[in-house]
Amino acid sequence: MDQLKENKGLIQLIKGSGITLIIKLLGMFFGYIAMLFVTNIYGAKEWGLYSLCLTVLSIATLFPKFGFDNSLVRIITELKLYKNNYEIKKVIQKSIIISVVVSLIVIFLINFLSDFIVYDILKKPQLSPYISLISFAIIPLTLIAIMSAYFQALKKTVLFILFQTAFINIIFLVLLLGSYFLHTEVKIFLLYITSVCITFLVSLIIYFLGLEKINGNTPDRVINYSIKSIINLSSPMLLSSSFALFMGWSDIIMLSVYKTTTDIGVYDAALRLATLSGISLIAINAVVTPKFVEFYSKNDIIGLKKVVQNSTRLIFFTTTPLLLVLVIFSKDALSLFGEEFTIGYLALIYLCISRFINSISGSVGYIMQMTDNQKTYQTVIFLAFLLNVILNFVLIPKYSYTGAALASSIAMIFWNLTLVIIIKRKFGFWTFITFKIKHS
């Protein structure tokens, strides 16, 4: 009977994440087509410059997002569980106010310190004309993250995945192809910024259209979130997500300091191929993250265990075949971007190994953040970040993008295995994929 219930839970999870996975695949497909187009037409150097701009933009939006892409899922799911519908609107409004204020501060600092960032930190003068473009995109990209978290918490996972990445990639490719065939000389990064702004406007329209459907039912339990309480819950998630993202960005930044934009382009190509394995992980997490909150809020640890292990099993079976293909055919996969990219095959293999450990560990980060363990998660991610930076300093000067990949992989394996052990101690179950052996 237990096995039957477990199988039913797995089937429901597959159904729930199926359409989400398709949309994520579509979005990534358009993203990789755009990448193939740029790398084959303009080369690794131009793609490296674009990747560097994208990294600076991602860092610039980190603080304005304020961890809302995770904390709002936690808050809104809880409010929805107890029918605090009116409070959901107020939480979104307060989050937007916080994000816009922080965004304006970041925009001022980026423009005020632009020469220092370009010439002293990154040592890439060619980045100077792009600073104003990066500033222009901060507010819309930040608010897209808030809209996406809102859709995820309401279990509108199709809209969540659509606005998280897919829509931007689709618009970017259309603009890229249009610019090329119309023979207009436009910066590639400007086309990306335009796609961000269009995506923001569409997400905002859909948000306001759906907002009226949230009625004011009498709540089962009144819960109020002040700006202070939102900040208190979100700030640990901001710090933990900061360190997690900085691990990836530190590779690009330190390659920028020690190596050329071509090296950055080769590393980014390998990283994006390895990231392909995360398609199903993102789709499945979009479905199960609100469930983590629900089971934890009800103190149903058995239910939490089942959904965690079912999701891990599904992640494993959907990521492992692709990782094997990428490892075995690493040079062939990289050659799709041009022959000059094939030298990064060893970096791709290292990155794939760490993604395999990530897949068999399960959604450990989301579990920690959705069960009031965000401060512990923050500590583990910070330690992994320090490990990554130290290894980058040691390995990048000598081994370039291969060293960056090795450093990143070791840090990812460290944080995944550490969190697996912590979750076992706190909740009494392993997030690792498990198989039951039948005895005759």
Side-chain angles (χ1 to χ4, degrees):
M1 183 62 72
D2 290 338
Q3 184 65 40
L4 181 62
K5 288 181 179 179
E6 188 172 323
N7 290 338
K8 283 184 178 179
L10 184 59
I11 292 169
Q12 289 174 353
L13 182 57
I14 292 171
K15 288 180 178 179
S17 58
I19 184 67
T20 310
L21 179 58
I22 291 171
I23 294 174
K24 182 63 181 176
L25 281 169
L26 183 65
M28 292 194 76
F29 171 76
F30 278 97
Y32 279 94
I33 293 297
M35 182 181 178
L36 286 169
F37 183 82
V38 174
T39 52
N40 280 278
I41 298 297
Y42 302 102
K45 184 178 180 180
E46 185 64 27
W47 182 256
L49 180 60
Y50 168 79
S51 301
L52 186 57
C53 289
L54 206 57
T55 300
V56 174
L57 174 60
S58 299
I59 295 172
T61 57
L62 185 60
F63 287 100
K65 286 180 182 177
F66 214 81
F68 291 142
D69 45 349
N70 290 315
S71 65
L72 286 180
V73 178
R74 172 77 175 83
I75 293 170
I76 295 173
T77 300
E78 182 184 34
L79 292 173
K80 184 171 175 287
L81 188 63
Y82 296 107
K83 300 179 182 177
N84 278 243
N85 294 332
Y86 182 67
E87 185 66 18
I88 292 175
K89 299 179 184 180
K90 292 170 66 177
V91 165
I92 292 294
Q93 291 169 359
K94 291 171 184 176
S95 301
I96 289 174
I97 291 170
I98 295 169
S99 289
V100 170
V101 170
V102 178
S103 292
L104 292 174
I105 295 172
V106 171
I107 289 169
F108 170 77
L109 290 174
I110 283 179
N111 284 278
F112 182 73
L113 300 171
S114 59
D115 287 345
F116 176 70
I117 293 169
V118 170
Y119 296 102
D120 296 318
I121 297 179
L122 300 177
K123 304 183 188 300
K124 291 291 180 288
Q126 60 267 46
L127 190 67
S128 184
Y130 294 89
I131 292 295
S132 58
L133 293 177
I134 290 169
S135 300
F136 187 74
I138 291 173
I139 291 178
L141 199 58
T142 299
L143 296 184
I144 287 173
I146 291 177
M147 297 297 104
S148 298
Y150 166 77
F151 292 135
Q152 184 183 10
L154 295 185
K155 296 184 179 179
K156 297 181 179 180
T157 51
V158 171
L159 290 176
F160 164 64
I161 291 294
L162 187 65
F163 291 114
Q164 187 194 44
T165 51
F167 203 75
I168 292 177
N169 286 341
I170 293 169
I171 299 297
F172 178 51
L173 179 60
V174 171
L175 294 176
L176 191 63
L177 294 174
S179 173
Y180 178 76
F181 289 112
L182 291 175
H183 305 289
T184 56
E185 293 186 5
V186 182
K187 291 184 175 68
I188 294 172
F189 193 64
L190 176 60
L191 298 179
Y192 177 81
I193 300 303
T194 305
S195 67
V196 167
C197 293
I198 293 172
T199 300
F200 165 64
L201 291 174
V202 175
S203 68
L204 199 62
I205 291 169
I206 293 177
Y207 167 72
F208 280 117
L209 289 175
L211 201 59
E212 297 303 319
K213 297 179 181 178
I214 300 180
N215 54 43
N217 290 338
T218 303
D220 294 338
R221 193 177 93 194
V222 177
I223 304 173
N224 294 310
Y225 278 95
S226 63
I227 287 182
K228 182 180 179 180
S229 60
I230 293 172
I231 291 175
N232 287 339
L233 180 62
S234 300
S235 53
M237 296 187 183
L238 163 66
L239 292 172
S240 56
S241 60
S242 300
F243 294 131
L245 293 171
F246 269 127
M247 274 191 281
W249 297 334
S250 66
D251 301 336
I252 299 292
I253 297 299
M254 294 179 75
L255 278 169
S256 171
V257 172
Y258 289 109
K259 301 295 178 179
T260 66
T261 53
T262 300
D263 291 291
I264 296 173
V266 171
Y267 177 73
D268 190 67
L271 182 61
R272 284 175 182 261
L273 279 176
T275 305
L276 269 173
S277 64
I279 298 174
S280 63
L281 180 64
I282 294 170
I284 293 166
N285 281 337
V287 175
V288 299
T289 299
K291 292 182 182 293
F292 296 156
V293 180
E294 291 176 6
F295 284 117
Y296 178 72
S297 297
K298 296 174 182 177
N299 199 30
D300 184 358
I301 303 302
I302 294 175
L304 179 64
K305 174 185 175 181
K306 287 180 180 179
V307 74
V308 166
Q309 293 186 341
N310 277 335
S311 63
T312 303
R313 191 175 290 109
L314 190 55
I315 291 167
F316 171 78
F317 285 117
T318 53
T319 58
T320 303
L322 179 57
L323 287 170
L324 283 173
V325 170
L326 289 174
V327 168
I328 295 170
F329 302 103
S330 55
K331 287 187 178 180
D332 297 302
L334 285 165
S335 68
L336 294 172
F337 304 115
E339 285 302 317
E340 61 182 324
F341 288 88
T342 58
I343 55 177
Y345 76 96
L346 197 55
L348 176 57
I349 291 173
Y350 288 146
L351 292 169
C352 285
I353 291 171
S354 64
R355 265 64 185 176
F356 174 73
I357 300 299
N358 188 49
S359 71
I360 65 173
S361 298
S363 307
V364 287
Y366 284 102
I367 296 168
M368 294 292 288
Q369 293 183 94
M370 297 301 123
T371 58
D372 292 329
N373 288 289
Q374 57 267 24
K375 290 186 178 179
T376 303
Y377 176 67
Q378 170 191 319
T379 302
V380 174
I381 293 298
F382 175 67
L383 292 173
F385 167 70
L386 286 180
L387 177 62
N388 188 49
V389 170
I390 292 169
L391 290 173
N392 273 332
F393 270 116
V394 174
L395 298 173
I396 286 179
K398 187 174 182 180
Y399 300 107
S400 188
Y401 40 79
T402 304
L406 183 57
S408 176
S409 298
I410 292 172
M412 177 176 281
I413 291 170
F414 165 78
W415 105 57
N416 271 282
L417 297 183
T418 302
L419 291 176
V420 165
I421 294 170
I422 290 172
I423 291 170
K424 168 63 176 175
R425 289 181 175 177
K426 284 183 176 291
F427 297 107
F429 62 84
W430 293 106
T431 61
F432 275 134
I433 182 171
T434 57
F435 299 96
K436 293 184 178 180
I437 301 173
K438 292 183 179 180
H439 299 281
S440 56

